[in-house]
Amino acid sequence: MEIDDSIRSVLAEFAKLAVDVSTLSDDDDIFDAGMTSHASVNVVLGLEEAFDIEFPQRMLRRSTFESVSAIRGAVMELVGSPAP
Amino acid sequence: MASGPEVAAELARKAQRIGVEVAGPAADDVDRLARFPSEAVDALRAEGFMDALVPTELGGKGASVDAVAGAVSALGRHCASTAMIYAMHLMQLACLVRHGRSAAHRDYLHELSAGQLLLASATTEIGVGGDIRTSLCAVERSDGHFRLEKQAPVISYGEQADAVLVTARRNPDSAPNDQVLVLCRREDLKLEPVSGWDTLGFRGTCSLGFRLTAEGEESAVLDDPFAQISSRTMLPISHVLWSSVWLGIAAAAIEKAGRFVRGEARKQPGTAPPSALRLAELMLEHQQLKDLVAAGVREYEARYDNPEALMAMNFAVRMNSLKVSASRLVVDIVTGALTICGMAGYRHDSPLSLGRLLRDAHGAALMVNNDRILANNAQMLLVPWDDV
């Protein structure tokens, strides 16, 4: 799935995980896998750039970025919709 | 069984007494010799301070963060090193209480309460540039035992502590940020000093550098990853309690400035001396600091049992801001007090001497450098995080 590939490539570039991104399942906790607060900001910015979106403040919570499936849900909600 | 407010009142009263009768009278000697304030720490032990944050069901006092923050400030008025040592003990204790859920750690908390044991920490490491969320050393495990070796640039009161909580990589294959916290008891520890502690301030904390080796039961490793321990507990409680120490330093400086102004006023009752205006001005900053610390304590307590709220970015930003603001205010306040007291504050041999307070106050911005903390905030604030 194209969205997932892009999400995983952003994670590979910015999340600085203790493990290889390909070993993460869709529902594994990315923070538990070693993403720090510091790195998560870069992931947010990387996702915004990759998908040409802007996360609204209500989505800017840890829970939005805690797993590949959570990120996919947020990205799908925003792709194609105008930035708030 | 005493209830919450009673525990807080009792801690405040006892901290005040220990400050006035034990820590204060020894403070100059502790400072001059850069020696451990053993009489003050013994007094804290004798009054049962070491288990303040341990829940009553585990044999402790079950005190609130607010209560211990008050005790730390009260001690800080008399000896900042004593207050800092007690604050650092409490930070480690909070990590153990909230994240050491195994039977071995519960048993240790009983032991700590019964024996009034003192905890220290080894979170920084030579070679990681001061970043406590990175470790080079690793826990090696075999047959239910662990072993680790760490080059620690500072372990405050390492030689006096009954146990040291040490960060390390989970195992030799783990990434630098995949860390655990290990409870290393005195009998499991070897500490070889590699550097001394001859500093401007906080001289009584005896924060020497050590080569640390520890071997013991594998159950000494805390279950929660250090990433969680750090954001949920260690970081917020450190900032709240450090700020409480500085509040105590500020209060001591204000008290000296007040005595000076009153002395001036006595010379001509009916006419407020010029320094009275300066004191009134200084009280603005003192009030800011008091309110800042009180608000920080309140916010931390409101989130204390809510992991999601504790891990919220905005909360981390605010706790960081508390630390930076408080560390600046304490220097401003002590410096303002020095301006008021003049030569009486500048002299070492005067009852209004502000030398030790000024030197201690300057440590606030450096112990975890404000630039590092502001850089963390700068990164987190790149996007507008929602509040939890």
Side-chain angles (χ1 to χ4, degrees):
Chain A
M1 202 170 158
E2 208 173 290
I3 289 186
D4 280 16
D5 290 346
S6 303
I7 291 171
R8 284 175 184 275
S9 93
V10 168
L11 289 174
E13 189 171 358
F14 298 113
K16 295 203 167 158
L17 301 184
V19 297
D20 193 283
V21 174
S22 61
T23 66
L24 276 187
S25 81
D26 273 12
D27 295 318
D28 279 346
D29 191 310
I30 305 174
F31 288 97
D32 285 352
M35 180 166 70
T36 60
S37 302
H38 198 272
S40 71
V41 174
N42 295 335
V43 167
V44 171
L45 297 169
L47 290 167
E48 291 190 336
E49 186 68 17
F51 292 100
D52 192 23
I53 52 175
E54 187 172 303
F55 291 101
Q57 189 168 9
R58 68 178 167 81
M59 282 188 177
L60 288 167
R61 291 167 162 249
R62 281 177 72 96
S63 53
T64 306
F65 306 97
E66 71 188 3
S67 68
V68 171
S69 58
I71 294 174
R72 186 201 306 127
V75 169
M76 301 257 283
E77 192 181 326
L78 296 176
V79 167
S81 63
Chain B
M1 185 68 61
S3 67
E6 287 168 42
V7 170
E10 197 179 315
L11 275 179
R13 190 167 39 77
K14 288 177 173 173
Q16 161 80 3
R17 184 194 69 75
I18 292 170
V20 171
E21 294 177 9
V22 188
D28 282 332
D29 190 61
V30 164
D31 178 58
R32 191 169 51 251
L33 302 175
R35 70 161 175 88
F36 185 71
S38 47
E39 56 276 78
V41 174
D42 286 348
L44 290 172
R45 288 182 149 132
E47 290 284 17
F49 272 66
M50 308 323 277
D51 61 353
L53 287 175
V54 178
T56 48
E57 60 270 26
L58 295 175
K61 304 282 182 299
S64 63
V65 173
D66 182 43
V68 296
V72 165
S73 284
L75 292 168
R77 284 181 83 126
H78 303 282
C79 173
S81 287
T82 300
M84 185 56 95
I85 290 164
Y86 185 49
M88 290 192 280
H89 164 78
L90 290 169
M91 293 165 202
Q92 300 312 310
L93 185 58
C95 293
L96 203 52
V97 165
R98 287 159 62 77
H99 302 277
R101 286 186 302 268
S102 69
H105 293 126
R106 303 281 95 172
D107 288 349
Y108 186 77
L109 288 172
H110 275 291
E111 201 179 315
L112 179 145
S113 301
Q116 291 295 304
L117 305 181
L118 177 66
L119 300 176
S121 79
T123 46
T124 52
E125 186 171 7
I126 291 168
V128 300
D131 177 11
I132 71 157
R133 289 295 316 284
T134 297
S135 286
L136 299 174
C137 67
V139 178
E140 297 162 39
R141 307 172 202 232
S142 65
D143 301 330
H145 285 74
F146 81 92
R147 184 179 189 285
L148 70 86
E149 190 176 321
K150 183 166 189 167
Q151 311 292 330
V154 286
I155 302 180
S156 294
Y157 54 94
E159 287 177 334
Q160 290 80 18
D162 297 300
V164 182
L165 281 113
V166 185
T167 50
R169 287 182 297 130
R170 182 177 300 279
N171 60 57
D173 300 324
S174 303
N177 64 0
D178 184 10
Q179 297 164 288
V180 289
L181 191 61
V182 188
L183 172 68
C184 303
R185 297 154 174 253
R186 166 62 56 199
E187 57 270 30
D188 298 338
L189 267 177
K190 196 169 98 185
L191 293 174
E192 300 162 73
V194 292
S195 54
W197 181 251
D198 184 5
T199 51
L200 212 52
F202 287 109
R203 294 169 57 80
T205 61
C206 301
S207 306
L208 280 66
F210 294 96
R211 179 167 171 275
L212 175 155
T213 22
E215 282 183 58
E217 304 276 330
E218 193 183 349
S219 58
V221 182
L222 274 73
D223 299 326
D224 288 353
F226 182 65
Q228 275 182 22
I229 299 175
S230 166
S231 57
R232 291 184 191 175
T233 302
M234 194 181 278
L235 192 139
I237 202 167
S238 299
H239 291 182
V240 160
L241 294 181
W242 281 330
S243 300
S244 300
V245 174
W246 306 332
L247 182 58
I249 295 174
I254 291 281
E255 197 241 321
K256 291 193 181 202
R259 274 165 58 199
F260 178 86
V261 173
R262 184 151 36 126
E264 294 288 288
R266 269 193 215 111
K267 292 175 188 164
Q268 213 178 349
T271 311
S275 57
L277 197 62
R278 281 271 158 82
L279 180 62
E281 217 168 34
L282 196 58
M283 294 308 278
L284 306 179
E285 282 171 312
H286 188 219
Q287 189 176 325
Q288 280 177 37
L289 180 57
K290 279 200 286 192
D291 292 349
L292 190 69
V293 175
V297 170
R298 258 198 320 276
E299 176 158 17
Y300 181 43
E301 288 204 318
R303 291 171 184 253
Y304 203 65
D305 295 315
N306 181 345
E308 196 200 353
L310 285 171
M311 296 185 81
M313 295 279 188
N314 286 338
F315 177 61
V317 169
R318 284 202 288 277
M319 287 292 110
N320 285 346
S321 302
L322 162 67
K323 190 272 177 188
V324 174
S325 297
S327 67
R328 288 177 176 175
L329 280 167
V330 66
V331 172
D332 290 350
I333 291 167
V334 180
T335 308
L338 181 60
T339 309
I340 290 170
C341 294
M343 285 309 294
Y346 195 64
R347 299 178 70 96
H348 277 314
D349 59 355
S350 134
L352 298 182
S353 173
L354 284 153
R356 174 165 51 84
L357 297 177
L358 191 63
R359 287 183 287 103
D360 287 339
H362 274 286
L366 307 176
M367 289 193 269
V368 184
N369 196 299
N370 279 358
D371 275 358
R372 174 181 294 280
I373 292 177
L374 282 174
N376 285 340
N377 273 6
Q379 170 75 7
M380 287 190 276
L381 289 168
L382 286 175
V383 293
W385 294 96
D386 196 20
D387 215 346
V388 178

